[in-house]
Amino acid sequence: MAAEMGAVLQLFEQLAKAPVDMLEPLSHPGDPALRLRADVVTEVDQRANFERVAPSMMGGYYLVPKVIE
Amino acid sequence: MSLAALLAGLDSGAMSARGATEDALSRASRAAGLNALITLTADAARAAAERADAARAMGAPGELLGVPYAHKDLFCTLDVTTTAGSRMLAKFVPPYSATIHEKLDASGAVLIGKANMDEFAMGSSNEHSYFGAARNPWDPDRVPGGSSGGSAALVAARIVPFATASDTGGSIRQPAALCGVTGIKPTYGRVSRYGMIAYASSLDQAGVIATSAHDAALALSVIAGFDPRDPTSVDAPPIDVSDALSMSLAGLRIGRPRQWCGEGIDSGVANAVDAALAIYAEHGARIVDIDLPSSEHAIAAYYVIAPAEASSNLARFDGVRYGHRCAHPKDLADLYTRSREEGFGHEVQKRILTGTYVLSAGYYEAYYHRALKVRRLIANDFARAFNEVDLIAGPTSPCVAFKLGEKLADPVAMYLADVNTVSVNLAGLPALSIPCGFSDGLPVGLQLCAPWWQESRLIGAAHAYQRVTDWHRALPPGIA
Amino acid sequence: MLATIGLEVHVQLNTAAKIFSGAATAYGAEPNAQACAIDLGMPGTLPVMNAAAVRLAVRLGLALGSTIAPRSIFARKNYFYPDLPKGYQISQFEAPILIGGGIDIRVGQTNKRIELTRAHLEEDAGKSVHDAFHRESGIDLNRAGTPLLEVVSEPVIESAAEAVAYLKALHTLVRWLGVSDGNMQEGSFRCDANVSVRKPGEALGTRAEIKNVNSFRFVEKAIDYEIERQIRIIESGGKVVQETRLYDAQRDETRSMRGKESAHDYRYFPDPDLPPLILDSALIETERSRLPELPNARRERYQEDLGLSEYDSAQLTQDRALSDAFESVIAASAAPAKLCANWVLSDWQGALNAANLTIDQSPLSAERLGGLVTRVHDGSLSSKMAKQVFEAMFASDDSADAAIARLGLKQVNDIDALAAHVEAVLTENTTQVAQFQAGNQKLLAFFVGQVMKRTQGQANPAQVTALLRDRLG
């Protein structure tokens, strides 16, 4: 894995050669604006459905090894 | 049989959904060696076909009523296992459906199964599937391409008239090219991403693979359209298929980027592409040599941006709410580490690691942030080019289908094979690949790329070519 | 030693649905019953931004005098934790929605403006339950995706008292504007405090962050404890460590939260699912036009225009509903504002508190109370009678006059009728009249009492006294 990563990172050196100094980064193709939705509750309780795909659930809670805070 | 012909047959009553579905299922079973399907939904398909026949008898509408198809196993399908080609989701039965599945369901199309793919759509050969590599129908010792290898193989082997697929850096077009079929990646935002398991959100786009541009257009027009559940879905004017199909090539300006046809392109591939462009010229198109000078940076930018997004997108697979969970985790860290190590394959782990690295504090500027600027550079290149030409054309893949295992040892070589496809995703543009000949007996793909939202121009140009050529009708050995 | 405090307040925005999903934000549902596929980070699901969260953030920004960013960016904050379903929190990092602004506070006799650094939109995480299961923790994701606005102050707060004054002012404001219900028990208004100490003239010291303190009293105690702790460390020659600390209310101390190191690399990057939030001026101007009179402005008006005391003005502007009710009482009453304020703050609030009701739930409307205050002012009721009438009105739908009539409690104000009673009393008590005229002034109270007796307490004692003095020369 380390050798493969090294080769991939070498590939990235190409970026240093690109003439990008004056450019704005492009995170979203087409430069769209965020679309907003109305503040309406559209979801119903589907816990039983989601519980079917959960590896470990009890009393409606997802279980994980004890978290110490 | 083509989708258009099947629809005509269903309409006239000469064919039934049940018959078409049985045919697809028996073809799938004969071609099981291709390993193109991860899940076969034979019983549900038969039931759906019967419903489709009944609906048609009642005169119910449905653009694809009774047409069998397969989904790339990246699209969530209610009550049907959806694996993303990964052990992580090997037993995941989604309690919801992708928007495109709802649309296909509503159109009356009949799902026969879920197609094999590179794990989480990461790969160009389909060899990174937890369920084993899919095979190329033209030569089972060769890869079908990826990541939508199963979808391309199913269509090439004429098991289904179309299959859904997704394209983050070429994952529709490259397997379509390697399998000798037509694949279209629409404009970013044209087809909903809701319920499509994310690889790299700003690059992922769903599309279709079919045997012709005409068929691809029919299927695409069903899955396309605005979806309020997808934050980057766009309410664009719909694709006018009939308009596209009557488009003339006369006066069409086609740009041939010098950077797409340079070194690294197999001569057989280059020859086939040149011949295809000669056909275009013969029918009135004007072929113009153009430059996309930033192309040389595209691979680096893509393999920074896509893994960066993936490293974050795949963080949700933690063994808590769904998906693979390791046995007897001793603590929280153990739960995360082992669930993910066991659930993700090598290529996925490598890309997560790469993505984590390029986003980390010391490297963000040099890698991720700079890659986003390169992305702007590349998008600007295309915008400039489209001031002069209507379409851009070149080889989809620099090589034909390679042997299984041939490139696995050299991942960078595998990445470099995406050279002509990734820049299109970086810019968000629509593009397709159509078969345009053979090299060493294996199909070659011609890539066409159009400005934003100009899918109809792409489809029109591809259809015009397919009206005067037969490459898309060529069948792999043993397939009738 | 000087203390420097910066506060980060998580304000839960008052929306029906979550910030990126259509699941309800209501408090107290069964575990995970309000966590939809998006909140759970199910594969393939996507976030879509709630417009109300944007509007509420803009509204608060306008009230705080912040710059409303025309373009703000959602970023992913990446870390693994079981209450964080996607493995990242959608927040704003480099480009928040609100920049700058401030809030005026008053501590003792000193006014101070607390400048703000920024405020950004983000989604809340879920909740872990540690004591319900053997060797396991339970995760409830109902809260995941609840919209938050994190308001970050500049490090300009210099004492626990200032911190509390700032928090109370912000708390009043967010409730005043309807931006948040501000319910601290339910976690709608939570505070992290960055505390450092230094010697005068020195640069800012190393800070410790106290996490998630959710009452004004605990904020004060936690900060005081932390300042003392840091001073002790420095004065004994030690060094304060930069770390996250938790306030333990039972033991009244802060203690280090191991494992939550602040050096964590969150790998923030722009969320590829969420394009930049572009705010057009129309939305901002709509919110501006809907902005009510703000509590500080109203408080000043009460003092300057209505002549209320500083204390009463502050009391009356702590809560929008109370203040609006007071406005309604003034509008419905012919009495001076001061008298209205007394009735609102003492009798009305007292009755509501005793009945454990909010002002919105009051059985007595502001308009009816205004009628009562009018009757007190015009002398129709003695204060003792007024309290009886108030009780009757609180327990019925009667107007002040209807209640007075029902109780037969009208104070006799008719001068002629009163004069007749006075005359009768003087006629019946000639001995006392003679003694009074001989210089025994104390007998005035006796005559007043006799008149009150004759009128069954309904006479206005002040009027009676005046008539008696007049009559007896």
Side-chain angles (χ1 to χ4, degrees), chain A residues 27-28 32-47 50 53 56-69, chain C residues 15-23 31-33 37 40 48-52 81 129-130 133 135-139 271-272 274-276 278:
Chain A
S27 343
H28 302 88
L34 186 67
R35 197 179 66 242
L36 305 178
R37 63 168 224 282
D39 180 28
V40 179
V41 175
T42 53
E43 298 286 341
V44 294
D45 178 8
Q46 286 205 69
R47 191 176 74 187
F50 297 134
V53 299
S56 180
M57 221 169 170
M58 193 186 282
Y61 290 94
Y62 292 100
L63 297 186
V64 297
K66 188 75 115 190
V67 181
I68 305 121
E69 282 206 327
Chain C
T15 59
K18 292 187 179 173
I19 184 165
F20 297 119
S21 82
N32 289 304
L40 294 174
V48 181
M49 180 73 199
N50 186 335
Y81 205 67
V129 175
H130 302 299
F133 304 96
R135 292 167 64 186
E136 292 189 296
S137 292
I139 310 297
D271 192 321
L274 296 165
I278 308 293

Side-chain angles (χ1 to χ4, degrees), chain A residues 1-2 4-5 10 12-15 18 20 25-26 31 37 46 51 58 63-64 66:
Chain A
M1 182 74 93
E4 287 182 37
M5 284 284 294
Q10 208 162 11
F12 297 165
E13 296 310 317
Q14 178 72 33
L15 293 173
V20 296
L26 176 61
D31 291 311
R37 63 168 224 282
Q46 286 205 69
E51 188 155 6
M58 193 186 282
L63 297 186
V64 297
K66 188 75 115 190

Side-chain angles (χ1 to χ4, degrees), chain C residues 148-186:
Chain C
L148 300 179
L149 188 71
E150 182 177 336
V151 181
V152 183
S153 84
E154 290 282 283
V156 294
I157 298 164
E158 291 167 309
S159 67
E162 278 185 19
V164 170
Y166 162 74
L167 287 174
K168 284 187 171 169
L170 183 61
H171 187 248
T172 294
L173 187 61
V174 297
R175 289 165 66 236
W176 191 275
L177 297 170
V179 163
S180 173
D181 67 16
N183 189 321
M184 297 175 87
Q185 281 77 45
E186 294 177 4

